[in-house]
Amino acid sequence: MRGVRARPVLLDSTLAVAVGVLLVAGAAVHGGELGDRPGLPGLVLAAAGAGPLLVRRRYPIGSLLAVIVLVCAFYLCGFRSTLGEPGILIAAYTVWARYPVRQAWPPTAIAVLGYEAAMIAGGASHPLPDTVLGLLQGAAIVLIGHSVYTRANRLRATAERAERAEREIELEARHAVVEERIRIARELHDVVSHHLSVISVQANLARYVFESAPDTARGALDTITGTTTEALDELRRLLSVLRPPRHEPGEYRPQPGLADLPALVGRLREAGLSAHLCITGTPRSLPPGQQLCAYRVAQEALTNVIKHAGDASAEVTLDYGAEGLRLLVVDSGGGAPPRANHAGHGLVGMRERARMYGGVIEIGPREPAGFGIELTLPYPNPGRSAGEP
């Protein structure tokens, strides 16, 4: 039974066949009783009264009206049904189970009036008892169908409320996560500010008394060691909360620096770009932030060459000057004019990175052809105190 309910077409087909067999078995001639068989036209017309039930789910009102038309034709042709008209009851039930009262009662009234008129016009033997029995059956079907419609609406409303409640709970959970992340960010800011302030003070103290009071300098360095260890532990604890729950091994890698530029140029050369790296001057150690800035600018510039310069070649020059680092990426030209638009997100990001480290970046076409990006980063001032920005 559960398998039949899961297949509405199979259920309706079985129901239509059963009703058709019942109508054929109860078909009789005018004024006859059960067993007074009509001719072939009467049997065919009786069986046809079950046909509209095949589409009762898709067209409930149309199915009811079609059943009434066929039943009226059956009665007006001089036949009668000795076993009742289950097709009308099933079609009416479907209408009341699918529609509210304001939509269900008009076709039902038409069906009742049509059936009554056809039964009287066809010369029914017992019109009054048949009418009373039909009205009682119809009232029961209306009540059952309307209760099914009401229950379905109630279940639908309950499901919608449950869905809204689930969405509200999900939104509240997301809001709680956002608030927790904001709290962690503030705590992270406090941790970093506090410990860096302590480290700055102790480092300045150690530098000031390094020769005059070695014990004091050693104590300051011990304080720095303990403070950094504590800060790293707290940062690790806070960042573990913000870290994605799933990550592949090796996902967290060190940020690239100037030592990775040859590998970057090599990968692009393998990808088909004619690129060369030239390093001049005496290499020196730079802070990781400045190295990352220069690397990202070179990466974005070479990416632009691939995207916009076609078959052009690129020359990357890294010059360790006397007062600052100079990075120059120039292509040989042949690209499309849209590269002259300097408001792209990549170029804006280059300027922001350069400004962050006090650098200057120049972006524009080169003579006689090509396009160039030149970054100049000043070396960090070794005489500046650790507490200065």
Side-chain angles (χ1 to χ4, degrees):
M1 180 62 68
R2 185 175 301 175
V4 174
R5 290 179 179 177
R7 298 182 176 91
V9 175
L10 177 60
L11 176 60
D12 290 342
S13 300
T14 304
L15 188 62
V17 170
V19 171
V21 171
L22 185 64
L23 292 176
V24 170
V29 296
H30 174 66
E33 298 296 335
L34 181 63
D36 297 333
R37 310 302 293 166
L40 181 61
L43 295 177
V44 172
L45 192 56
L53 298 181
L54 293 171
V55 294
R56 68 184 184 93
R57 296 177 189 269
R58 188 170 184 180
Y59 307 105
I61 295 178
S63 176
L64 175 60
L65 297 178
V67 168
I68 286 297
V69 169
L70 292 172
V71 169
C72 290
F74 179 77
Y75 276 93
L76 293 176
C77 288
F79 306 110
R80 67 182 298 261
S81 178
T82 60
L83 298 179
E85 292 291 346
I88 298 177
L89 300 178
I90 295 173
Y93 162 81
T94 306
V95 170
W96 283 89
R98 293 294 184 91
Y99 295 101
V101 175
R102 66 178 182 276
Q103 292 180 264
W105 77 262
T108 304
I110 294 174
V112 171
L113 294 176
Y115 174 76
E116 190 69 18
M119 185 176 58
I120 294 174
S125 303
H126 309 286
L128 184 59
D130 290 346
T131 299
V132 174
L133 180 61
L135 290 177
L136 291 176
Q137 291 177 337
I141 288 298
V142 166
L143 291 176
I144 295 173
H146 185 64
S147 65
V148 171
Y149 173 80
T150 304
R151 182 174 180 272
N153 278 351
R154 189 182 302 113
L155 292 176
R156 190 181 303 111
T158 302
E160 291 176 355
R161 286 195 300 270
E163 185 178 355
R164 285 196 301 268
E166 184 178 354
R167 286 199 299 265
E168 290 176 358
I169 292 174
E170 183 178 356
L171 290 176
E172 290 179 358
R174 290 182 180 179
H175 184 66
V177 170
V178 171
E179 288 185 345
E180 181 65 13
R181 287 177 178 266
I182 293 175
R183 185 192 65 79
I184 292 174
R186 290 172 179 168
E187 185 176 349
L188 190 63
H189 173 269
D190 295 340
V191 168
V192 173
S193 299
H194 169 72
H195 289 89
L196 287 182
S197 299
V198 173
I199 292 172
S200 176
V201 172
Q202 295 298 322
N204 287 331
L205 175 61
R207 184 178 63 176
Y208 182 74
V209 299
F210 186 78
E211 295 182 355
S212 60
D215 293 337
T216 303
R218 188 177 298 107
L221 294 177
D222 291 339
T223 302
I224 291 175
T225 301
T227 302
T228 53
T229 302
E230 181 182 353
L232 288 175
D233 291 340
E234 293 193 36
L235 289 176
R236 190 177 296 111
R237 175 179 60 83
L238 294 174
L239 293 177
S240 65
V241 179
L242 300 177
R243 180 173 297 175
R246 295 181 180 179
H247 58 277
E248 299 295 333
E251 178 181 351
Y252 303 100
R253 301 182 179 90
Q255 295 286 6
L258 296 178
D260 299 295
L261 277 180
L264 172 65
V265 174
R267 287 195 302 270
L268 295 176
R269 190 182 299 118
E270 293 176 358
L273 176 66
S274 177
H276 303 279
L277 173 64
C278 178
I279 301 177
T280 60
T282 303
R284 62 172 69 192
S285 178
L286 295 177
Q290 284 191 322
Q291 294 194 44
L292 178 62
C293 173
Y295 180 90
R296 293 302 187 198
V297 169
Q299 185 181 45
E300 181 67 25
L302 291 172
T303 301
N304 287 340
V305 173
I306 294 177
K307 289 172 18 179
H308 303 296
D311 297 331
S313 61
E315 184 75 25
V316 181
T317 302
L318 187 64
D319 178 29
Y320 292 92
E323 298 182 355
L325 178 71
R326 175 174 169 267
L327 173 70
L328 177 62
V329 181
V330 181
D331 64 66
S332 60
R339 288 197 313 128
N341 179 12
H342 301 165
H345 294 291
L347 302 183
V348 172
M350 292 183 190
R351 293 192 178 94
E352 292 298 327
R353 287 182 180 275
R355 188 180 299 111
M356 185 184 304
Y357 296 99
V360 177
I361 190 167
E362 296 181 3
I363 304 173
R366 298 281 170 164
E367 295 295 339
F371 194 86
I373 297 177
E374 182 176 0
L375 169 68
T376 303
L377 289 176
Y379 295 134
N381 186 2
R384 185 175 60 189
S385 64
E388 295 175 355

